[in-house]
Amino acid sequence: MIAELGLALLWFAAAFALLQLFTGLLSLREAGAGFAESVRPVAVMQGVLVTLSFLALIWLFLRTDLSVLLVASNSHVDKPFVFKLAGTWGNHEGSMLLWVTVMALSGAAIALLERRLPERTMLATLAAQAFVSLGFYAFLLFSSNPFTRLEPAARVGAGLNPLLQDLGLAFHPPTLYLGYVGLSVAFSFAVGALMTRQVGPQFARAMRPWVLGAWIFLTIGITAGSYWAYYELGWGGWWFWDPVENASLMPWLAATALLHSVSVLAARDALRIWTIMLGVVAFSMSMVGTFLVRSGVLTSVHSFAVSPERGSFILALLCLYIGGALVLFGLRASTVNEGKQFAWSSREAALVFNNVALTAILGIVLVGTLYPLLTEAFGVRVSVGPPYFNPVGAIFAFPMVVVMAIGPLLRWREDRFARVGRRMIAPVAIFAIALVAALVLAPGIGILPLLGLALAAMLAVASVLPVLGRNPRRVKLAVWGMVVGHFGLAVALAGMASNAAFTTERLAAAAIGDTVAVGPWDVTLSEIEPIAGPNWTALEGTMTARYRGGAPVVLRPQARNFFSPPTATNESALATRWNGQLYAVLGQEADGGRWQLRLWWKPFVTLIWIGGLMVALGGLLALIGRVIADWKQRAIRVRLAERREYREAQP
Amino acid sequence: MSAPTPGRRSRWTIWLPLALFIGFVALVAYGLMAPGERDVRSAMVGNPLPQFTLPAGVEGTPGLSRADFTKGEPRLLNIFASWCVPCAVEAPQLDTLAAQGVPIDGVAIRDRSEDIAQFLDRNGNPYRAIGKDDVSAVQLGIGSSGVPETFVIDGEGIIRYQHMGPIMERDIAQIMSEWRKAKEPL
């Protein structure tokens, strides 16, 4: 019954989305102004219905209702509770339902809370939002019904990919999804504003919390995904330029650019068209990412259940949304007012430079990801990897870091370089010191890690200058957000460079009792025993590691075998110190009772993820600061209006 | 002095994003419609291997040269790289072939010895010998333009068959039969 109920709710929700689209569009015309009243309630109702539908699917997964095809093929009676829950969205159909649910909830939130936008832009935005949702409803109802029954019911279920049976991963995709959906809201705002040609600071302020929210989720999603790949794949690396990783990086790059240009639009009423364009591009990138991952046009280490049919469907949606938005953009962009002008030596110009750099990096990643597909069209197969992405990306990333250091010190509209130059003396000095220190301490260091370390040091110092010497309580929360975010990026960059420059690795065949040295560590293999989990068996190695002869730390890496489906995975073991991580993997048994061990000592590698989280924290501070400021402003406006009314009422 | 804002575009640049997008759609639509079973061969198939000598890919193992391919026994020449994801995908299939007695030599493209060692440790080592090709000289010389690719070389050093892209489960039979065929002289 629950499955049928869920499906019925989904159909009703789709019908309300259709209603939202038509009432929204009609209300934009003079003749249909009467519909304007109904758009907001319809949007709220759509949100409620689809949420109930999603709850029905969660219920089916928690109860492991094996008469539902999706549950039977993605869950298992023996699976732990939390993975049954995560199984709801750990598959194609469920994740699409999650997507459309979050989208409808965002629409409902806009309908209930947003009061700053001009009413017409608001209606157009909700219509655009309904239009995007309808595509996903069609996708779900006609090609990926999550509620299909299985006749006869399965007995135990086909399990979940064991590689994906990991807490981090259970919550990694929904985090990215929240980011993608947030960008779809920004897209709807951009389309709404294009339809009514009302692009200005009010529009930017309404759009900004959604962009910030999306960006925070994307940042957390990418950071968590990178850490997951690091410890779960057992390869010792933290970023592989795999298509799936690129699919999550590209929307982040576009969202980062959008975040900064939307701030310019809100503060200075400049960059109107550019902001609209980025709003379209950011959502395009999340759709392109989803398409590349799901359609199977590219080979990836993350094998989602790919299918060309689904690929075609997503491609059709992509054409409809992005193609449509770009046509609208072409028709309307030249009629949107330019916005304010500014000088080369201004904060706006620095933000424009960073926007261009981010867009260039986005282009590089996109070309690198698609290049294998392009050459395949000409009959040649290639694979593009770090030898391309790292140096080519760095060409734009390093200048961008320099401008990141300078930009926040510049004034809006126009500034004198000489004034800023004086403030940059300390950061530049730190850059030089770090450069020399790295060359002295590590003479063989590569050019990219070297520049990375020195630039990270410079950015770290420069990023705190905007608040240095000011009363911390007087500084706006949004400014703190920027400082923390930029400092976080410096921290992450330092981690990346340090990992690239100073990692030591040891491959050894060790017998029980042998000691292997890696960097400052001595690692002794003390025993190897078989152990069993709920749905796997494993060989677990016990190692005792000592840092410079200090207190022993016990590491237990495993070589696991899952039964359903049969898959072998490596569970790495980590020992974390303040100055880095020891990373241990248990390999195959070599001849004569010896075991292959892979050990890495990675100085300061954890800074990569700490920095990533700081960047997200910066976004969160900015978001809270903006929302509070908006709320206060609204309260003041209400009070002024009340006072005016009171005065007018007096004789 | 005022900076040109990215918003100030002439008419045609406004349509540029749409043009790029159409190009993207055309490309991926092609990728979707024609999933790569096309048979585009290197011009070198049927010709002898060019002369080459490569240093060892992993310390303590032999290097690779043309002479290794003229000892009367057909061999596979696998072009790979530690940084290439599809190469990791095809590794189990190479192991299967090696286990069935097919001799395989590897040429690692633009790679570092420690990375190769790590790759082999992670994915298994099906190779008799590995040569390190830092400038893609051998790769270009035998008419391969991507990684991974696999060539069947007969006992006389003649290139007999080229397989592009990763060897998947379904390709193993074809590779085995080409390797057996290469035992017969042309």
Side-chain angles (χ1 to χ4, degrees), chain A residues 479-503:
Chain A
V479 174
W480 277 116
M482 175 190 76
V483 169
V484 172
H486 285 185
F487 188 80
L489 195 93
V491 170
L493 182 60
M496 296 171 198
S498 168
N499 178 52
F502 307 126
T503 295

PDB file of all heavy atoms in Angstrom, chain A residues 479-503:
ATOM      1  N   VAL A 479      32.094  39.770   6.787  1.00  0.00           N
ATOM      2  CA  VAL A 479      33.530  40.008   6.570  1.00  0.00           C
ATOM      3  C   VAL A 479      34.337  38.905   7.247  1.00  0.00           C
ATOM      4  O   VAL A 479      35.294  38.381   6.674  1.00  0.00           O
ATOM      5  CB  VAL A 479      33.929  41.399   7.095  1.00  0.00           C
ATOM      6  CG1 VAL A 479      35.436  41.596   7.000  1.00  0.00           C
ATOM      7  CG2 VAL A 479      33.202  42.476   6.311  1.00  0.00           C
ATOM      8  N   TRP A 480      33.921  38.533   8.454  1.00  0.00           N
ATOM      9  CA  TRP A 480      34.571  37.389   9.101  1.00  0.00           C
ATOM     10  C   TRP A 480      34.477  36.157   8.208  1.00  0.00           C
ATOM     11  O   TRP A 480      35.427  35.372   8.107  1.00  0.00           O
ATOM     12  CB  TRP A 480      33.912  37.076  10.456  1.00  0.00           C
ATOM     13  CG  TRP A 480      34.416  37.935  11.569  1.00  0.00           C
ATOM     14  CD1 TRP A 480      33.701  38.837  12.292  1.00  0.00           C
ATOM     15  CD2 TRP A 480      35.756  37.975  12.085  1.00  0.00           C
ATOM     16  NE1 TRP A 480      34.502  39.444  13.218  1.00  0.00           N
ATOM     17  CE2 TRP A 480      35.772  38.933  13.122  1.00  0.00           C
ATOM     18  CE3 TRP A 480      36.932  37.296  11.769  1.00  0.00           C
ATOM     19  CZ2 TRP A 480      36.920  39.230  13.841  1.00  0.00           C
ATOM     20  CZ3 TRP A 480      38.072  37.587  12.491  1.00  0.00           C
ATOM     21  CH2 TRP A 480      38.062  38.549  13.507  1.00  0.00           C
ATOM     22  N   GLY A 481      33.331  35.974   7.587  1.00  0.00           N
ATOM     23  CA  GLY A 481      33.143  34.835   6.685  1.00  0.00           C
ATOM     24  C   GLY A 481      34.180  34.835   5.580  1.00  0.00           C
ATOM     25  O   GLY A 481      34.813  33.822   5.291  1.00  0.00           O
ATOM     26  N   MET A 482      34.379  36.022   4.976  1.00  0.00           N
ATOM     27  CA  MET A 482      35.368  36.126   3.901  1.00  0.00           C
ATOM     28  C   MET A 482      36.767  35.801   4.426  1.00  0.00           C
ATOM     29  O   MET A 482      37.524  35.044   3.807  1.00  0.00           O
ATOM     30  CB  MET A 482      35.347  37.535   3.323  1.00  0.00           C
ATOM     31  CG  MET A 482      36.412  37.767   2.286  1.00  0.00           C
ATOM     32  SD  MET A 482      36.534  39.502   1.833  1.00  0.00           S
ATOM     33  CE  MET A 482      37.399  40.165   3.241  1.00  0.00           C
ATOM     34  N   VAL A 483      37.097  36.362   5.598  1.00  0.00           N
ATOM     35  CA  VAL A 483      38.439  36.147   6.160  1.00  0.00           C
ATOM     36  C   VAL A 483      38.662  34.664   6.438  1.00  0.00           C
ATOM     37  O   VAL A 483      39.679  34.080   6.035  1.00  0.00           O
ATOM     38  CB  VAL A 483      38.600  36.984   7.456  1.00  0.00           C
ATOM     39  CG1 VAL A 483      39.857  36.576   8.203  1.00  0.00           C
ATOM     40  CG2 VAL A 483      38.642  38.462   7.111  1.00  0.00           C
ATOM     41  N   VAL A 484      37.695  34.034   7.093  1.00  0.00           N
ATOM     42  CA  VAL A 484      37.836  32.607   7.426  1.00  0.00           C
ATOM     43  C   VAL A 484      37.914  31.770   6.148  1.00  0.00           C
ATOM     44  O   VAL A 484      38.727  30.854   6.030  1.00  0.00           O
ATOM     45  CB  VAL A 484      36.675  32.137   8.332  1.00  0.00           C
ATOM     46  CG1 VAL A 484      36.708  30.641   8.515  1.00  0.00           C
ATOM     47  CG2 VAL A 484      36.747  32.840   9.672  1.00  0.00           C
ATOM     48  N   GLY A 485      37.062  32.100   5.179  1.00  0.00           N
ATOM     49  CA  GLY A 485      37.042  31.344   3.919  1.00  0.00           C
ATOM     50  C   GLY A 485      38.366  31.444   3.182  1.00  0.00           C
ATOM     51  O   GLY A 485      38.926  30.432   2.743  1.00  0.00           O
ATOM     52  N   HIS A 486      38.885  32.666   3.049  1.00  0.00           N
ATOM     53  CA  HIS A 486      40.149  32.841   2.330  1.00  0.00           C
ATOM     54  C   HIS A 486      41.305  32.202   3.089  1.00  0.00           C
ATOM     55  O   HIS A 486      42.170  31.561   2.497  1.00  0.00           O
ATOM     56  CB  HIS A 486      40.426  34.329   2.106  1.00  0.00           C
ATOM     57  CG  HIS A 486      39.569  34.929   1.033  1.00  0.00           C
ATOM     58  ND1 HIS A 486      39.709  36.212   0.581  1.00  0.00           N
ATOM     59  CD2 HIS A 486      38.556  34.413   0.313  1.00  0.00           C
ATOM     60  CE1 HIS A 486      38.820  36.462  -0.359  1.00  0.00           C
ATOM     61  NE2 HIS A 486      38.100  35.385  -0.553  1.00  0.00           N
ATOM     62  N   PHE A 487      41.294  32.351   4.424  1.00  0.00           N
ATOM     63  CA  PHE A 487      42.339  31.722   5.232  1.00  0.00           C
ATOM     64  C   PHE A 487      42.260  30.200   5.068  1.00  0.00           C
ATOM     65  O   PHE A 487      43.276  29.523   4.934  1.00  0.00           O
ATOM     66  CB  PHE A 487      42.175  32.125   6.701  1.00  0.00           C
ATOM     67  CG  PHE A 487      43.304  31.673   7.573  1.00  0.00           C
ATOM     68  CD1 PHE A 487      44.495  32.375   7.596  1.00  0.00           C
ATOM     69  CD2 PHE A 487      43.182  30.533   8.356  1.00  0.00           C
ATOM     70  CE1 PHE A 487      45.549  31.952   8.392  1.00  0.00           C
ATOM     71  CE2 PHE A 487      44.234  30.100   9.152  1.00  0.00           C
ATOM     72  CZ  PHE A 487      45.414  30.818   9.164  1.00  0.00           C
ATOM     73  N   GLY A 488      41.041  29.683   5.049  1.00  0.00           N
ATOM     74  CA  GLY A 488      40.849  28.241   4.868  1.00  0.00           C
ATOM     75  C   GLY A 488      41.434  27.752   3.553  1.00  0.00           C
ATOM     76  O   GLY A 488      42.042  26.695   3.478  1.00  0.00           O
ATOM     77  N   LEU A 489      41.261  28.554   2.509  1.00  0.00           N
ATOM     78  CA  LEU A 489      41.824  28.153   1.224  1.00  0.00           C
ATOM     79  C   LEU A 489      43.352  28.105   1.304  1.00  0.00           C
ATOM     80  O   LEU A 489      43.991  27.196   0.747  1.00  0.00           O
ATOM     81  CB  LEU A 489      41.388  29.092   0.103  1.00  0.00           C
ATOM     82  CG  LEU A 489      41.681  28.451  -1.240  1.00  0.00           C
ATOM     83  CD1 LEU A 489      40.478  27.698  -1.751  1.00  0.00           C
ATOM     84  CD2 LEU A 489      42.182  29.429  -2.255  1.00  0.00           C
ATOM     85  N   ALA A 490      43.943  29.083   2.021  1.00  0.00           N
ATOM     86  CA  ALA A 490      45.398  29.073   2.206  1.00  0.00           C
ATOM     87  C   ALA A 490      45.823  27.803   2.935  1.00  0.00           C
ATOM     88  O   ALA A 490      46.813  27.159   2.562  1.00  0.00           O
ATOM     89  CB  ALA A 490      45.839  30.316   2.983  1.00  0.00           C
ATOM     90  N   VAL A 491      45.060  27.429   3.960  1.00  0.00           N
ATOM     91  CA  VAL A 491      45.374  26.215   4.737  1.00  0.00           C
ATOM     92  C   VAL A 491      45.307  24.989   3.835  1.00  0.00           C
ATOM     93  O   VAL A 491      46.209  24.141   3.822  1.00  0.00           O
ATOM     94  CB  VAL A 491      44.394  26.077   5.930  1.00  0.00           C
ATOM     95  CG1 VAL A 491      44.545  24.719   6.593  1.00  0.00           C
ATOM     96  CG2 VAL A 491      44.633  27.192   6.935  1.00  0.00           C
ATOM     97  N   ALA A 492      44.227  24.887   3.031  1.00  0.00           N
ATOM     98  CA  ALA A 492      44.070  23.732   2.149  1.00  0.00           C
ATOM     99  C   ALA A 492      45.207  23.678   1.130  1.00  0.00           C
ATOM    100  O   ALA A 492      45.779  22.617   0.861  1.00  0.00           O
ATOM    101  CB  ALA A 492      42.717  23.797   1.440  1.00  0.00           C
ATOM    102  N   LEU A 493      45.548  24.841   0.578  1.00  0.00           N
ATOM    103  CA  LEU A 493      46.628  24.900  -0.416  1.00  0.00           C
ATOM    104  C   LEU A 493      47.944  24.441   0.211  1.00  0.00           C
ATOM    105  O   LEU A 493      48.715  23.684  -0.408  1.00  0.00           O
ATOM    106  CB  LEU A 493      46.747  26.335  -0.955  1.00  0.00           C
ATOM    107  CG  LEU A 493      47.795  26.575  -2.037  1.00  0.00           C
ATOM    108  CD1 LEU A 493      47.519  25.714  -3.253  1.00  0.00           C
ATOM    109  CD2 LEU A 493      47.829  28.050  -2.434  1.00  0.00           C
ATOM    110  N   ALA A 494      48.193  24.870   1.459  1.00  0.00           N
ATOM    111  CA  ALA A 494      49.411  24.437   2.154  1.00  0.00           C
ATOM    112  C   ALA A 494      49.425  22.919   2.294  1.00  0.00           C
ATOM    113  O   ALA A 494      50.450  22.267   2.091  1.00  0.00           O
ATOM    114  CB  ALA A 494      49.500  25.110   3.517  1.00  0.00           C
ATOM    115  N   GLY A 495      48.265  22.334   2.647  1.00  0.00           N
ATOM    116  CA  GLY A 495      48.175  20.884   2.782  1.00  0.00           C
ATOM    117  C   GLY A 495      48.465  20.170   1.480  1.00  0.00           C
ATOM    118  O   GLY A 495      49.214  19.188   1.433  1.00  0.00           O
ATOM    119  N   MET A 496      47.886  20.682   0.378  1.00  0.00           N
ATOM    120  CA  MET A 496      48.107  20.060  -0.936  1.00  0.00           C
ATOM    121  C   MET A 496      49.587  20.109  -1.306  1.00  0.00           C
ATOM    122  O   MET A 496      50.174  19.120  -1.749  1.00  0.00           O
ATOM    123  CB  MET A 496      47.319  20.808  -2.013  1.00  0.00           C
ATOM    124  CG  MET A 496      45.819  20.752  -1.846  1.00  0.00           C
ATOM    125  SD  MET A 496      45.036  21.904  -3.019  1.00  0.00           S
ATOM    126  CE  MET A 496      43.419  22.046  -2.274  1.00  0.00           C
ATOM    127  N   ALA A 497      50.184  21.283  -1.131  1.00  0.00           N
ATOM    128  CA  ALA A 497      51.588  21.459  -1.520  1.00  0.00           C
ATOM    129  C   ALA A 497      52.487  20.606  -0.642  1.00  0.00           C
ATOM    130  O   ALA A 497      53.412  19.954  -1.137  1.00  0.00           O
ATOM    131  CB  ALA A 497      51.966  22.931  -1.429  1.00  0.00           C
ATOM    132  N   SER A 498      52.191  20.574   0.674  1.00  0.00           N
ATOM    133  CA  SER A 498      53.018  19.798   1.585  1.00  0.00           C
ATOM    134  C   SER A 498      52.930  18.308   1.261  1.00  0.00           C
ATOM    135  O   SER A 498      53.940  17.599   1.241  1.00  0.00           O
ATOM    136  CB  SER A 498      52.565  20.066   3.012  1.00  0.00           C
ATOM    137  OG  SER A 498      53.152  19.132   3.879  1.00  0.00           O
ATOM    138  N   ASN A 499      51.712  17.856   0.971  1.00  0.00           N
ATOM    139  CA  ASN A 499      51.531  16.452   0.614  1.00  0.00           C
ATOM    140  C   ASN A 499      52.318  16.114  -0.653  1.00  0.00           C
ATOM    141  O   ASN A 499      52.978  15.083  -0.736  1.00  0.00           O
ATOM    142  CB  ASN A 499      50.038  16.159   0.422  1.00  0.00           C
ATOM    143  CG  ASN A 499      49.795  14.726  -0.006  1.00  0.00           C
ATOM    144  OD1 ASN A 499      50.276  13.799   0.615  1.00  0.00           O
ATOM    145  ND2 ASN A 499      49.062  14.549  -1.085  1.00  0.00           N
ATOM    146  N   ALA A 500      52.254  17.014  -1.641  1.00  0.00           N
ATOM    147  CA  ALA A 500      52.953  16.756  -2.902  1.00  0.00           C
ATOM    148  C   ALA A 500      54.461  16.793  -2.702  1.00  0.00           C
ATOM    149  O   ALA A 500      55.198  16.020  -3.313  1.00  0.00           O
ATOM    150  CB  ALA A 500      52.542  17.789  -3.949  1.00  0.00           C
ATOM    151  N   ALA A 501      54.935  17.671  -1.820  1.00  0.00           N
ATOM    152  CA  ALA A 501      56.379  17.866  -1.703  1.00  0.00           C
ATOM    153  C   ALA A 501      57.042  16.878  -0.752  1.00  0.00           C
ATOM    154  O   ALA A 501      58.142  16.407  -1.013  1.00  0.00           O
ATOM    155  CB  ALA A 501      56.665  19.294  -1.241  1.00  0.00           C
ATOM    156  N   PHE A 502      56.394  16.566   0.370  1.00  0.00           N
ATOM    157  CA  PHE A 502      57.120  15.887   1.453  1.00  0.00           C
ATOM    158  C   PHE A 502      56.675  14.462   1.752  1.00  0.00           C
ATOM    159  O   PHE A 502      57.180  13.846   2.683  1.00  0.00           O
ATOM    160  CB  PHE A 502      57.003  16.716   2.746  1.00  0.00           C
ATOM    161  CG  PHE A 502      57.428  18.150   2.574  1.00  0.00           C
ATOM    162  CD1 PHE A 502      56.586  19.191   2.926  1.00  0.00           C
ATOM    163  CD2 PHE A 502      58.669  18.449   2.035  1.00  0.00           C
ATOM    164  CE1 PHE A 502      56.972  20.510   2.762  1.00  0.00           C
ATOM    165  CE2 PHE A 502      59.070  19.771   1.865  1.00  0.00           C
ATOM    166  CZ  PHE A 502      58.217  20.804   2.228  1.00  0.00           C
ATOM    167  N   THR A 503      55.700  13.909   0.999  1.00  0.00           N
ATOM    168  CA  THR A 503      55.247  12.559   1.286  1.00  0.00           C
ATOM    169  C   THR A 503      56.371  11.549   1.090  1.00  0.00           C
ATOM    170  O   THR A 503      57.103  11.607   0.104  1.00  0.00           O
ATOM    171  CB  THR A 503      54.069  12.199   0.363  1.00  0.00           C
ATOM    172  OG1 THR A 503      52.991  13.051   0.684  1.00  0.00           O
ATOM    173  CG2 THR A 503      53.641  10.752   0.542  1.00  0.00           C
TER     174      THR A 503
END
